[in-house]
């Protein structure tokens, strides 16, 4: 799997026109699936109850005018021309904005941050604009000083994230249900109402059941399906315009919005919740930026998606402007404007497009939960990478089945597009409001623009979105309560997990063992040192964890080589392979105790256990070799040596280390080298292959002897077996703690901890090599 290449999108930054156009085509199926299928339900949701289609056509023209300007101002102006530029090293989405703010204002919520993390190449804070003004510097200082503001900023980002997850439940439901509703024109109402819900449920069950296979096998069909759908709706739109009302273009004037609101008044304002659905999926342009480039997304939207949607909505309005007699409640929908001979083919294409659009939002939900988990805001879950070639295609079993159950529940519970639209609209507009708020801070703190520009951005787009938000919120009892309830549950879980994780780290810091105690044990640590390599997992980036002393005082033996291993996330999307490891010593050389900090970005892929072990041992060996070559080795005298060296993975060593594969026949050892052998994972080949990594040692006799001995001990320890020693901490609130803290720690956090995956799964360590040490933390 190409997981050390940073990300798939970094390969395509060369920006040749062929590459850009290819990416623009591919983005249709991933980015624009949800947005493209909105014509299925916008008019039907808008005219559900609040307003009626009269012979004067003021309502239909007013709705068309609102749709046109909403699509023009929000997806086109806001996202394409402004928000897309706020990428985090090529990544987009709510957490990308939050990550930018964390680095520029130092409001990082991760407790294990280090100064060394700021040296990462992608941690750069150089941005557009001049040095910070007085207001920007004051705002930055205020955010850094007040922890309450930092928590508010985190909660704001989490609210947007929770609404995206809620959208992952609602979008498949309304998309598939609206697509299936085309059968209503081919059978009586008494029959179709018994067909729609079961058919939609069957399609949804099949969609979620196929998630574990991944989308790479059928992903090549996604873009052609959406392209066919866009061509279909735009062609039908053009036909309806010329056939029914060629002057419908006049309705694009903002004047019709004024006449619409003047005539309908409060009812028109309430109907804005249905109009809002025309921009469902716009956030995907920014959220999925990491898989494509800005230029490709802009080209796809401006040249194809935007004009196709406008033509589709104009065509529906042209048809409805000449058909005022509504015999049934569903004749205001999409399929009624489709020529009768084309309805069945269009129905099939619509269902396929709905499945593609649903797939995109489901995959996006998996991705954002992975990011939350990496930043300590979501319990650990099993992440399965379904493609060995395309970065970012993941599958999370627990979340998949939760989404499926919730999706089926709202489909069966609502059984109409009106309430589904109310629910989906509120989720969509809330995410957009969060993006607007975070963007205003990015404009000032990251882009160093004038505060007046940020205020203008918030006032202009915030006013538009607040209008739609109020129209959606007023429908609270008619379906809008669903995303609020879902978001509250997810937000409660995230905040509880983040709080418990922070308290656990705080306990570890307060109860860590001094290095003086470790040195007082002597070279053998006061116990027998047995053959093998012991990896002691800890969240600490300095000091000796309490779990180690707990283990030493209860067992009489330990491994000949010990590594205090810390796997942590940093607020950048990707950490380059050459910056992956921070390695240092604890105690003198003869103790053979090392500290290794492994850094991952919030979108990085964690390697499997065998590859990880190989890279870990390689990084330690490279540290030993580099230390000897630079003659920087120093004996510690009672205090921990905090000097850590940045070491890359095996594939990044250009000198001193050779990483290559050979057959079972071993070549003679080269003089002046030591080697570590580890078998490569089995492949479908006729000959067995071994992985051989050679470490070149300097020619100085003294250093060569000491270094060779240390490398050989590391080799023997690896061959003797690797053991993972992990803490299984049970947290309890201290006596005298308040009711809220006791509920958060003793009930909520412990429930999440018991029912989710622990650090062993995060390391993907084998069961046979894992030893868990139980401890009780009183926080």
């Amino acid at each position: 799997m190409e997981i050390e290449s940073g990300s798939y999108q970094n390969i395509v930054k060369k920006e040749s026109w062929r590459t850009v156009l290819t990416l623009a085509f591919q983005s249709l199926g991933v980015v624009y699936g949800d947005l493209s299928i909105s014509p299925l339900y916008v008019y039907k949701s808008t005219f559900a109850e609040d307003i009626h289609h009269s012979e004067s056509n003021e309502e239909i023209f007013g709705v068309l005018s609102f749709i046109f300007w909403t699509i023009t101002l929000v997806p086109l102006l806001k996202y394409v021309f402004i928000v897309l530029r706020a990428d985090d090293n090529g990544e987009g989405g709510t957490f990308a904005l939050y990550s930018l703010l964390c680095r520029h204002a130092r409001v990082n919520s991760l407790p294990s941050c280090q100064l060394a993390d700021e040296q990462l190449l992608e941690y750069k804070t150089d941005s557009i604009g001049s040095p910070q003004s007085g207001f920007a510097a004051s705002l930055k200082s205020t955010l850094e000083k007040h922890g309450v503001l930092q928590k508010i900023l985190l909660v704001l980002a989490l609210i947007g994230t929770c609404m995206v997850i809620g959208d992952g439940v609602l979008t498949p439901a309304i998309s598939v249900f609206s697509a299936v509703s085309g059968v209503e024109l081919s059978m009586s109402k008494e029959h179709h109402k018994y067909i729609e819900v079961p058919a939609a449920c069957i399609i949804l069950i099949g969609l979620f059941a196929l998630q574990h296979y991944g989308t790479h096998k059928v992903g090549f069909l996604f873009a052609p399906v959406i392209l066919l759908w866009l061509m279909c709706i735009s062609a039908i739109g053009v036909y309806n315009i010329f056939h029914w009302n060629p002057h419908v273009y006049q309705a694009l004037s903002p004047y019709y919005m004024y006449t619409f609101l003047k005539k309908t008044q409060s009812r028109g304002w309430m109907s804005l919740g249905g109009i809002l659905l025309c921009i469902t999926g716009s956030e995907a342009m920014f959220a999925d930026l990491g898989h494509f480039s800005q230029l490709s997304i802009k080209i796809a939207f401006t040249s194809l998606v935007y004009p196709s949607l406008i033509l589709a909505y104009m065509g529906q309005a042209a048809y409805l402007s000449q058909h005022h007699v509504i015999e049934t409640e569903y004749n205001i929908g999409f399929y009624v404007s489709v020529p009768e001979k084309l309805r069945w083919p269009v129905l099939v294409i619509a269902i396929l497009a709905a499945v593609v659009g649903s797939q995109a939002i489901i995959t996006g939900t998996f991705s954002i939960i992975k990011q939350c988990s990496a930043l300590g805001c979501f319990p650990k879950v099993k992440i399965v990478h379904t493609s060995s070639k395309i970065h970012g295609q993941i599958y999370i079993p627990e979340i998949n089945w939760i989404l499926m159950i919730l999706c089926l529940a709202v489909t069966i519970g609502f059984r109409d597009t009106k309430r589904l639209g109310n629910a989906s609209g509120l989720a969509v507009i809330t995410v957009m409001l969060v993006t607007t708020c975070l963007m205003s801070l990015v404009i000032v703190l990251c882009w160093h623009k004038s505060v007046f520009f940020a205020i203008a951005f918030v006032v202009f787009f915030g006013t538009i979105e607040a209008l739609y938000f109020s129209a959606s919120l007023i429908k609270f009892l008619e379906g809008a309560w669903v995303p609020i309830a879902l978001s509250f549950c997810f937000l409660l879980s995230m905040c509880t997990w983040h709080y418990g994780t922070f308290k656990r780290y705080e306990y570890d810091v307060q109860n860590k063992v001094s290095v003086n105690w470790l040195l007082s044990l002597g070279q053998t640590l006061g116990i027998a040192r047995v053959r093998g390599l012991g990896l002691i997992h800890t969240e600490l980036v300095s000091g000796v964890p309490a779990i180690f002393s707990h283990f030493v005082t209860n067992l009489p033996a330990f491994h000949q080589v010990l590594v205090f291993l810390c796997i942590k996330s940093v607020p950048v999307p990707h950490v380059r392979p050459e910056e992956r490891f921070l390695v240092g010593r604890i105690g003198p050389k003869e103790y053979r105790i090392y500290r290794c900090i492994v850094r991952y970005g919030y979108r990085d892929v964690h390697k499997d256990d065998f590859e990880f072990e190989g890279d870990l041992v390689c990084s330690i060996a490279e540290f030993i070799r580099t230390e000897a070559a630079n003659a920087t080795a120093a004996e510690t005298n009672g205090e921990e040596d905090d000097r850590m060296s940045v070491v890359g993975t095996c594939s990044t060593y250009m000198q001193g280390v050779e990483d290559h594969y050979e057959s079972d026949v071993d070549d003679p050892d080269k003089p002046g080298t030591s080697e570590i052998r580890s078998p490569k994972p089995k492949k479908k080949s006729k000959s067995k292959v071994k992985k051989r990594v050679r470490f070149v040692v300097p020619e100085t006799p003294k250093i060569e002897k000491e270094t060779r001995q240390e490398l050989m001990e590391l080799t023997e320890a690896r061959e003797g077996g690797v053991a993972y020693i992990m803490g299984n901490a049970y947290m309890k609130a201290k006596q005298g703690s308040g009711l809220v803290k006791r509920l958060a720690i003793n009930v909520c956090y412990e429930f999440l901890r018991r029912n989710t995956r622990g650090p062993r799964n995060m390391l993907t360590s084998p069961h046979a090599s894992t030893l868990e040490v139980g401890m009780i933390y009183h926080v």
Side-chain angles (χ1 to χ4, degrees):
M1 182 180 292
E2 289 294 330
I3 55 179
E4 286 293 2
S5 59
S7 61
Y8 167 75
Q9 69 274 17
N10 289 336
I11 302 173
V12 298
K13 296 293 185 181
K14 297 179 181 179
E15 295 287 337
S16 66
W17 277 109
R18 181 177 180 181
T19 301
V20 169
L21 294 178
T22 301
L23 286 177
F25 173 72
Q26 293 173 348
S27 69
L28 293 176
V30 177
V31 177
Y32 297 110
D34 189 10
L35 183 62
S36 298
I37 58 178
S38 56
L40 284 172
Y41 44 78
V42 169
Y43 280 114
K44 188 173 182 179
S45 299
T46 304
F47 288 92
E49 284 183 5
D50 301 316
I51 57 175
H52 301 284
H53 178 38
S54 64
E55 293 187 6
S56 64
N57 286 327
E58 289 181 335
E59 293 86 358
I60 191 66
F61 286 169
V63 169
L64 176 60
S65 184
F66 265 104
I67 290 174
F68 172 76
W69 287 107
T70 302
I71 295 178
T72 302
L73 294 177
V74 179
L76 184 62
L77 180 59
K78 176 186 173 182
Y79 282 95
V80 170
F81 291 108
I82 301 177
V83 176
L84 281 180
R85 297 174 67 238
D87 65 299
D88 181 13
N89 293 290
E91 298 292 338
T94 303
F95 264 96
L97 295 177
Y98 180 70
S99 176
L100 282 174
L101 294 172
C102 284
R103 301 206 301 273
H104 284 79
R106 299 180 188 274
V107 294
N108 188 9
S109 62
L110 296 172
S112 59
C113 55
Q114 297 172 278
L115 289 176
D117 298 337
E118 298 182 14
Q119 303 302 319
L120 292 170
L121 191 59
E122 291 200 3
Y123 204 96
K124 61 184 179 181
T125 56
D126 300 329
S127 296
I128 306 169
S130 57
Q132 291 185 343
S133 62
F135 179 82
S138 176
L139 177 61
K140 176 182 176 182
S141 177
T142 303
L143 284 173
E144 292 175 353
K145 288 180 180 178
H146 296 84
V148 175
L149 295 179
Q150 297 177 19
K151 292 177 181 177
I152 292 175
L153 188 63
L154 175 62
V155 170
L156 184 64
L158 292 180
I159 289 174
T161 301
C162 293
M163 283 296 180
V164 171
I165 298 174
D167 198 25
V169 173
L170 297 166
T171 294
I174 189 174
S175 299
V176 173
F177 189 84
S178 299
V180 172
S181 65
V183 301
E184 64 193 7
L185 295 178
S186 302
M187 56 184 67
S188 64
K189 181 177 180 180
E190 290 73 17
H191 290 88
H192 81 73
K193 68 180 181 179
Y194 298 111
I195 297 296
E196 288 181 359
V197 175
C201 290
I202 291 173
I203 294 174
L204 289 171
I205 291 173
L207 175 64
F208 284 100
L210 294 175
Q211 289 299 311
H212 71 281
Y213 290 108
T215 60
H216 60 284
K217 294 182 179 178
V218 294
F220 67 95
L221 292 175
F222 286 180
V225 166
I226 298 300
L227 177 61
L228 180 61
W229 168 250
L230 289 173
M231 294 175 63
C232 178
I233 61 175
S234 58
I236 294 173
V238 171
Y239 168 79
N240 285 331
I241 291 171
F242 286 99
H243 188 266
W244 297 110
N245 191 351
H247 301 288
V248 73
Y249 68 88
Q250 297 176 353
L252 302 182
S253 170
Y255 171 76
Y256 285 91
M257 291 192 291
Y258 168 74
T259 57
F260 172 77
L261 291 177
K262 183 179 180 180
K263 179 179 180 179
T264 58
Q265 297 182 353
S266 61
R267 294 180 294 108
W269 166 63
M270 294 175 66
S271 70
L272 294 180
I275 297 173
L276 166 65
L277 297 177
C278 70
I279 54 175
T280 300
S282 299
E283 187 73 20
M285 284 192 286
F286 184 48
D288 292 325
L289 178 61
H291 300 288
F292 305 95
S293 64
Q294 290 186 27
L295 185 58
S296 63
I297 290 179
K298 290 178 179 179
I299 289 175
F301 183 77
T302 55
S303 65
L304 182 61
V305 179
Y306 177 76
S308 297
L309 290 176
I310 298 301
L311 288 174
Y313 287 117
M314 288 177 64
Q316 289 187 57
Y319 177 87
L320 294 173
S321 67
Q322 301 299 319
H323 296 78
H324 304 97
V325 179
I326 303 177
E327 299 176 356
T328 56
E329 63 179 8
Y330 51 81
N331 267 8
I332 201 73
F334 167 77
Y335 288 102
V336 71
S337 64
V338 178
E340 188 172 354
K341 294 181 179 180
L342 298 177
R343 283 176 183 169
W344 281 108
V346 171
L347 173 65
V348 174
I349 298 173
I351 293 175
L352 291 176
V355 169
V356 172
S358 302
Q359 175 62 54
I361 192 65
I362 293 170
T363 303
T365 304
F366 292 158
S367 297
I368 202 165
I369 287 177
K370 177 181 178 292
Q371 295 175 26
C372 292
S373 180
L375 294 178
C377 297
F378 199 87
K380 302 301 178 183
V381 290
K382 181 180 180 181
I383 297 175
V384 180
H385 294 271
T386 58
S387 174
S388 60
K389 296 180 180 179
I390 302 178
H391 176 84
Q393 287 194 358
I394 61 175
Y395 166 68
I396 304 177
E398 299 96 325
I399 301 301
N400 182 67
W401 302 124
I402 291 174
L403 290 179
M404 186 189 78
I405 293 172
L406 293 174
C407 192
L408 292 174
V410 297
T411 302
I412 297 173
F414 287 157
R415 297 189 298 276
D416 62 57
T417 56
K418 176 193 171 185
R419 287 180 291 180
L420 283 173
N422 294 337
S424 180
L426 184 62
V428 168
I429 200 62
T430 304
V431 177
M432 292 183 177
L433 276 171
V434 170
T435 300
T436 300
C437 294
L438 294 179
M439 269 299 302
S440 64
L441 295 176
V442 169
I443 289 171
V444 176
L445 296 175
C446 305
W447 290 359
H448 312 313
K449 296 292 185 181
S450 170
V451 64
F452 297 105
F453 184 76
I455 292 175
F457 179 86
V458 170
V459 170
F460 182 75
F461 293 107
T463 301
I464 296 172
E465 292 162 359
L467 180 65
Y468 282 117
F469 180 79
S470 62
S472 298
L473 195 60
I474 201 68
K475 302 291 185 68
F476 180 83
L477 297 178
E478 299 177 38
W481 61 270
V482 171
I484 296 178
L486 291 175
S487 299
F488 177 78
C489 294
F490 280 106
L491 183 63
L492 181 64
S493 301
M494 289 180 178
C495 291
T496 301
W497 185 261
H498 183 266
Y499 175 75
T501 302
F502 183 82
K503 285 295 181 182
R504 177 174 176 171
Y505 185 84
E506 197 176 57
Y507 180 92
D508 281 334
V509 171
Q510 294 172 354
N511 294 273
K512 66 182 180 181
V513 181
S514 67
V515 179
N516 289 332
W517 172 85
L518 181 67
L519 297 176
S520 67
L521 298 177
Q523 181 177 346
T524 63
L525 305 182
I527 54 178
R529 301 291 289 271
V530 298
R531 190 167 181 258
L533 177 64
L535 300 181
I536 305 167
H537 181 260
T538 175
E539 303 292 335
L540 297 176
V541 295
S542 63
V544 178
I547 179 182
F548 180 73
S549 62
H550 188 69
F551 188 94
V552 167
T553 55
N554 286 277
L555 289 177
F558 227 110
H559 301 85
Q560 67 185 102
V561 176
L562 296 178
V563 180
F564 289 97
L565 177 64
C566 174
I567 299 179
K568 71 171 189 175
S569 296
V570 289
V572 296
H574 302 283
V575 175
R576 295 172 179 267
E578 57 268 23
E579 300 175 314
R580 176 77 67 209
F581 294 93
L582 278 175
V583 185
R585 290 187 186 275
I586 298 180
K589 272 188 176 183
E590 57 270 18
Y591 278 45
R592 302 294 190 256
I593 304 178
Y594 309 93
R595 181 183 306 284
C596 186
I597 300 174
V598 190
R599 301 178 291 185
Y600 286 98
Y602 57 81
R603 294 203 61 147
D604 273 330
V605 180
H606 290 223
K607 285 190 172 183
D608 61 38
D609 58 316
F610 196 90
E611 287 182 299
F612 178 79
E613 284 181 15
D615 278 348
L616 179 65
V617 176
C618 286
S619 67
I620 296 173
E622 176 66 9
F623 165 75
I624 296 170
R625 188 200 66 81
T626 306
E627 184 185 54
N630 297 333
T632 57
E635 302 294 326
T636 54
N637 49 3
E639 295 182 358
E640 181 177 4
D641 186 1
D642 289 329
R643 289 176 296 182
M644 306 284 288
S645 299
V646 179
V647 183
T649 57
C650 296
S651 60
T652 64
Y653 303 147
M654 302 303 295
Q655 296 179 353
V657 177
E658 299 176 2
D659 186 7
H660 60 280
Y661 301 100
E662 298 179 353
S663 61
D664 289 338
V665 181
D666 296 331
D667 294 334
D669 290 342
K670 295 181 179 179
T673 65
S674 66
E675 63 184 28
I676 292 181
R677 297 188 182 94
S678 59
K680 184 177 174 61
K682 294 181 180 180
K683 287 187 174 181
K684 295 180 181 179
S685 59
K686 295 181 180 180
S687 60
K688 295 181 180 179
V689 178
K690 285 188 177 181
K691 181 178 181 181
R692 173 173 298 177
V693 185
R694 285 197 169 91
F695 303 93
V696 178
V697 181
E699 298 179 357
T700 306
K702 181 179 178 181
I703 296 181
E704 182 179 354
K705 182 178 179 181
E706 293 177 357
T707 305
R708 179 186 294 276
Q709 182 181 358
E710 190 170 2
L711 287 171
M712 290 305 297
E713 287 193 31
L714 182 63
T715 305
E716 292 173 3
R718 171 70 191 277
E719 292 175 351
V722 179
Y724 293 80
I725 296 95
M726 301 181 182
N728 191 357
Y730 297 84
M731 291 179 56
K732 291 185 178 180
K734 291 180 180 178
Q735 290 185 348
S737 299
L739 177 62
V740 175
K741 184 176 181 180
R742 293 201 307 271
L743 286 175
I745 298 297
N746 297 348
V747 180
C748 298
Y749 181 82
E750 278 301 300
F751 174 80
L752 292 173
R753 187 194 61 80
R754 287 194 302 268
N755 292 278
T756 53
R757 300 172 186 271
R760 185 185 64 77
N761 300 88
M762 183 177 63
L763 282 170
T764 63
S765 57
H767 289 271
S769 304
T770 303
L771 177 63
E772 292 188 355
V773 181
M775 291 185 66
I776 297 178
Y777 286 10
H778 292 278
V779 298

